[in-house]
Amino acid sequence: MKTKIVVLTGAGVSAESGLKTFRDSDGLWEGYNVYDVATPEAWERNPSMVQDFYNMRRKDVLGAEPNPAHYALRLLEDKFDVTVITQNIDNLHERAGSSNIIHLHGIITKSQSDINPKLVYDIAGWELNMGETCELGSQLRPHVVWFGESVPMIEKAAAIASKSDIFIVIGTSLAVYPAAGLINFVPYSSQKIIVDPNSPAVNANNLRVINGRAGKAVPQLVNDLLRDFE
Ligand code: OAD
């Protein structure tokens, strides 16, 4: 059976693609406090502002390209059974060719019904506007998980983490739960590897921390893994 590698990524894996992280610039995200735009309350208060904000982010994502870290993760599939669990709402892992991706916090290139989150649609282009509705006639919103909302994919992600032989964490401050708790599901003896220039403090058995930027450190790590494991 192939060695199972599970990769948990955060905003840092896309930083070198030009997409801003959340907590590296005074808690502001493109000049916004995330709680002013990424909550159900913000959507109730000012849906056009929230829609515009995500339209800008979608434009950024469509204009960005995967970087060497995304592409290297795809190469792991040559030898390993790989699942990427990402907190990112961009589609750069998909565009780099990874096959098994779980989007814990949704994906910005899709919309969902305001009244039934199971009704999910592709968005053509970068713009989603007020007045665009689902098949039930209700307003469409970005298909992303906001603060205060449940994370429907977390149980599946935890089950996969619990099967990992190697668990790699890339570019996340591990500040947001339940995603940050996934490492606790990884078997005690499995190897845990963190890649981050400013790694969060983690207490875990068999832990290796690589202090580096993803674009350089991840291709090196992937080379080593492909070389060392048969
Ligand atoms: P953060 O902004 O909290 O953390 C980004 C991490 O990336 C930090 O640890 C940085 O040190 C690291 N980093 C920066 N540049 C890097 C690089 N070039 N290579 C590798 N690492 C780098 O982002 P997340 O942890 O992803 O949630 O944030 C978690 C969640 O909080 C997001 O998914 C979002 C946000 O609010 C929702 O939208 C629900």
Side-chain angles (χ1 to χ4, degrees), residues 10-12 16 21-24 87 105 145 147 171-173 176 196-197 214:
E16 288 155 84
T21 63
F22 298 94
R23 293 177 182 80
D24 282 331
Q87 299 167 82
H105 295 160
V145 172
F147 287 97
T172 169
S173 60
V176 172
D196 198 304

Side-chain angles (χ1 to χ4, degrees), residues 2-211:
K2 282 185 176 172
T3 300
K4 175 79 194 167
I5 297 188
V6 178
V7 188
L8 173 66
T9 64
V13 78
S14 297
E16 288 155 84
S17 294
L19 301 177
K20 285 239 167 68
T21 63
F22 298 94
R23 293 177 182 80
D24 282 331
S25 50
D26 299 332
L28 292 184
W29 184 22
E30 298 288 355
Y32 289 79
N33 177 329
V34 282
Y35 298 99
D36 289 342
V37 286
T39 62
E41 292 74 25
W43 176 248
E44 290 253 309
R45 213 170 37 237
N46 196 343
S48 299
M49 190 265 279
V50 173
Q51 207 79 279
D52 287 348
F53 174 78
Y54 281 98
N55 282 342
M56 288 305 117
R57 303 288 72 75
R58 196 175 298 109
K59 211 174 192 178
D60 292 344
V61 165
L62 296 180
E65 296 295 334
N67 68 55
H70 299 102
Y71 287 116
L73 292 175
R74 147 74 190 84
L75 291 181
L76 279 177
E77 294 180 19
D78 291 350
K79 246 191 204 169
F80 301 100
D81 172 10
V82 184
T83 302
V84 176
I85 303 172
T86 187
Q87 299 167 82
N88 298 343
I89 58 175
D90 66 53
N91 61 1
L92 297 181
H93 287 302
E94 279 84 355
R95 284 162 55 199
S98 283
S99 317
N100 302 314
I101 305 164
I102 294 181
H103 277 275
L104 278 182
H105 295 160
I107 184 160
I108 198 171
T109 51
K110 295 187 180 194
S111 64
Q112 73 184 48
S113 163
D114 198 13
I115 53 166
N116 181 353
K118 294 211 167 99
L119 294 176
V120 173
Y121 308 88
D122 286 328
I123 299 172
W126 59 272
E127 223 174 346
L128 179 64
N129 289 310
M130 298 310 294
E132 290 186 56
T133 54
C134 71
E135 65 214 57
L136 303 175
S138 196
Q139 177 61 44
L140 289 173
R141 55 164 266 189
H143 177 51
V144 299
V145 172
W146 286 328
F147 287 97
E149 293 186 321
S150 63
V151 178
M153 296 306 285
I154 195 67
E155 280 173 23
K156 186 174 178 197
I160 289 171
S162 76
K163 300 264 177 345
S164 54
D165 301 305
I166 303 174
F167 189 76
I168 305 173
V169 177
I170 305 169
T172 169
S173 60
L174 294 177
V176 172
Y177 283 81
L182 282 175
I183 196 164
N184 300 323
F185 288 86
V186 179
Y188 183 77
S189 57
S190 295
Q191 190 177 16
K192 292 110 193 154
I193 303 169
I194 296 183
V195 180
D196 198 304
N198 186 17
S199 168
V202 169
N203 203 347
N205 182 56
N206 201 358
L207 175 69
R208 174 180 170 206
V209 176
I210 302 172
N211 275 303

